[in-house]
């Protein structure tokens, strides 16, 4: 908590929801020219979950949020703010936040969707934290939810092996007893990334036409090698920045929860920062890259497995389209 904040904000509940349907590497071998060995060696992904066609992002977001609220002991009407980081909203407007708010019965909440691609959760957590620390709201929901399968071209082997669908959510609330919760966040953006990772059509630049559809402009395009280089540099740099700024040694960190885009990126970053294998959260083998859902769902999994105790130091780190990247240092406050 910095000198200018009135209150301390902490995570008090987590949840996650994934579709049942598994898309394995063997399934993808039948769809594009790829193989299990290449996918596992280059990315660490063994399988990912995908929704039945027509299932919108709000569906798994609602379920993840219900779990997070139950863990936090928060009633729907106590939620003051809902932030939904997503690049696959149900529709451009109304926001997916409004759809989820109505379904949850959070009648006293306001909120919005936030686009920061794979950094969405870290950016959204910072906005919720700031609202809680300022005293403007007491309880907030941050819900990363994605249906990446709705924007993936399943004939493009460069991207279709990477992404999965799912959601993760947390409750962020005022810690009345002044305990330390979310300690610090450092976020960055650099528009240089726009040419390496994008979904070109569907906005005002290229509204949907027969031509944009024929040219596959509504799908994700990624220059993987370029993004990889920026991701390693950005994630390692910002993680070191947040640790050094707060006088925290790598060995003090209980869990490093990086955005799950590529196992090699996560291992590379952990090595650069000086973190051991035991400190690094990994879920990519099960779910692939679920964009804004990777970090909250990993927090939920590691909490449920008993790997996080109140007071543990946790570092979150993400990198995504834009480019966007950031790191958050926090003390675990679920169950305290
Ligand atoms: O989440 C937001 C941020 N995104 C990221 O952080 C992703 C960053 N990038 C990556 O994770 C990696 O670059 C990828 C996993 C996307 C690709 O791995 P790579 O080791 O960088 O492979 P590459 O793109 O350099 O491709 C190497 C070779 C190419 O063949 P040639 O040109 O060497 O003959 C590709 O055509 O592998 C080929 N290839 C494949 N082969 C089998 C590309 N995709 C596949 C595939 N199966 N699915």
């Amino acid at each position: 908590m910095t000198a200018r904040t009135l209150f301390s904000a902490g995570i008090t509940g987590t949840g996650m929801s994934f579709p049942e349907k598994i898309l394995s590497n063997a399934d993808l071998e039948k769809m594009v020219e790829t193989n299990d060995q290449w996918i596992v060696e280059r990315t660490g992904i063994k399988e990912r979950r995908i929704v039945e066609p027509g299932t919108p992002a709000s569906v798994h977001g609602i379920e993840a949020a219900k779990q997070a609220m139950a863990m936090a002991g928060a009633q729907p009407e106590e939620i003051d703010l809902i932030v939904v980081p997503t690049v696959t909203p149900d529709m451009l407007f109304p926001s997916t936040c409004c759809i989820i708010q109505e379904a949850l019965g959070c009648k006293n909440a306001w909120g919005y969707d936030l686009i920061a691609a794979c950094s969405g959760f870290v950016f959204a957590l910072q906005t919720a934290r700031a609202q809680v620390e300022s005293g403007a709201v007491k309880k907030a929901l941050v819900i990363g939810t994605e249906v990446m399968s709705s924007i993936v071209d399943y004939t493009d082997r460069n991207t279709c092996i990477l992404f999965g669908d799912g959601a993760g959510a947390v409750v962020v609330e005022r810690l009345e007893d002044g305990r330390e919760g979310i300690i610090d966040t450092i976020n960055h953006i650099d528009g240089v990334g726009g040419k390496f990772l994008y979904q070109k059509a569907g906005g005002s630049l290229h509204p949907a036409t027969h031509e944009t559809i024929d040219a596959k402009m509504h799908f994700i395009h990624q220059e993987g090698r370029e993004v990889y280089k920026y991701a390693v540099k950005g994630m390692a740099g910002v993680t070191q920045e947040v640790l050094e700024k707060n006088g925290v040694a790598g060995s003090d960190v209980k869990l490093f929860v990086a955005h799950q885009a590529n196992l090699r990126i996560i291992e590379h970053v952990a090595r650069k920062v000086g973190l051991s294998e035991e400190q690094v959260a990994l879920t990519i083998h099960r779910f692939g890259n679920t964009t804004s859902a990777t970090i909250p769902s990993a927090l939920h999994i590691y909490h449920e497995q008993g790997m996080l105790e109140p007071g543990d130091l946790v570092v979150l780190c993400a990198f995504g389209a834009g480019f966007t990247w950031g790191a958050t240092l926090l003390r675990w406050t679920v169950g305290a």
Side-chain angles (χ1 to χ4, degrees):
M1 194 166 69
T2 68
R4 280 164 293 139
T5 58
L6 290 174
F7 300 99
S8 181
I11 294 175
T12 54
T14 63
M16 72 176 198
S17 176
F18 287 90
E20 277 178 21
K21 189 172 165 188
I22 292 173
L23 183 67
S24 67
N25 291 349
D27 296 328
L28 286 161
E29 283 177 4
K30 295 179 203 132
M31 297 159 71
V32 287
E33 202 183 322
T34 191
N35 58 77
D36 177 60
Q37 192 188 352
W38 191 97
I39 301 173
V40 172
E41 281 179 11
R42 298 291 180 121
T43 71
I45 302 168
K46 293 185 177 154
E47 58 187 40
R48 67 287 294 140
R49 303 295 181 96
I50 58 164
V51 299
E52 293 301 333
T55 308
S58 58
V59 167
H60 289 285
I62 290 163
E63 178 52 33
K66 280 183 184 167
Q67 292 173 18
M69 285 162 61
M71 194 186 285
Q75 298 304 312
E77 57 277 8
E78 290 179 278
I79 302 294
D80 305 308
L81 171 70
I82 304 173
V83 189
V84 180
T86 182
V87 291
T88 51
D90 288 17
M91 55 195 103
L92 280 179
F93 61 89
S95 66
T96 301
C97 171
C98 289
I99 294 163
I100 292 178
Q101 178 263 349
E102 187 189 26
L104 292 175
C106 296
K107 56 177 195 261
N108 297 314
W110 68 286
Y112 45 87
D113 291 0
L114 182 152
I115 302 179
C118 296
S119 306
F121 180 76
V122 170
F123 280 29
L125 187 65
Q126 167 62 1
T127 66
R129 169 200 171 201
Q131 290 284 334
V132 172
E133 286 186 346
S134 74
V137 310
K138 269 191 178 177
K139 290 189 189 184
L141 268 170
V142 180
I143 310 162
T145 185
E146 305 284 1
V147 177
M148 296 306 291
S149 60
S150 66
I151 57 168
V152 163
D153 176 3
Y154 283 99
T155 66
D156 174 14
R157 71 175 183 173
N158 290 298
T159 51
C160 74
I161 56 134
L162 299 172
F163 295 97
D165 302 336
V170 299
V171 171
V172 179
E173 66 180 278
R174 183 189 297 181
L175 303 175
E176 299 287 358
D177 52 8
R179 268 175 303 139
E180 201 171 39
I182 300 171
I183 298 167
D184 200 4
T185 298
I186 300 175
N187 290 327
H188 298 288
I189 61 168
D190 187 346
V192 72
K195 53 185 173 291
F196 302 123
L197 180 51
Y198 53 79
Q199 179 196 339
K200 209 145 225 178
S204 52
L205 177 62
H206 297 291
T209 62
H210 291 293
E211 288 73 27
T212 62
I213 290 168
D214 290 346
K216 298 190 168 191
M217 288 166 67
H218 295 266
F219 291 129
I220 299 172
H221 176 87
Q222 176 171 241
E223 306 285 329
R225 257 179 250 190
E226 288 300 327
V227 179
Y228 190 107
K229 281 187 269 176
Y230 280 97
V232 169
K233 191 164 172 257
M235 291 170 84
V238 77
T239 302
Q240 262 153 351
E241 210 181 336
V242 83
L243 291 178
E244 278 166 24
K245 186 179 159 204
N246 291 279
V248 173
S251 53
D252 295 335
V253 174
K254 179 67 186 297
L255 194 65
F256 176 58
V257 187
H259 168 55
Q260 309 280 304
N262 186 320
L263 176 62
R264 288 185 297 138
I265 294 179
I266 299 167
E267 289 176 342
H268 202 146
V269 171
R271 265 199 311 277
K272 278 186 130 192
V273 178
L275 300 170
S276 67
E277 220 174 283
E278 298 73 50
Q279 292 171 286
V280 177
L282 287 179
T283 60
I284 188 163
H285 53 292
R286 294 174 61 191
F287 302 117
N289 181 351
T290 55
T291 305
S292 66
T294 64
I295 293 176
S297 57
L299 286 174
H300 181 74
I301 290 168
Y302 278 76
H303 176 77
E304 288 291 270
Q305 287 176 352
M307 312 282 280
L308 285 170
E309 297 289 334
D312 282 345
L313 275 174
V314 178
V315 178
L316 316 179
C317 178
F319 186 92
F323 292 125
T324 55
W325 68 105
T328 298
L329 176 68
L330 59 90
R331 283 209 185 271
W332 197 241
T333 42
V334 178

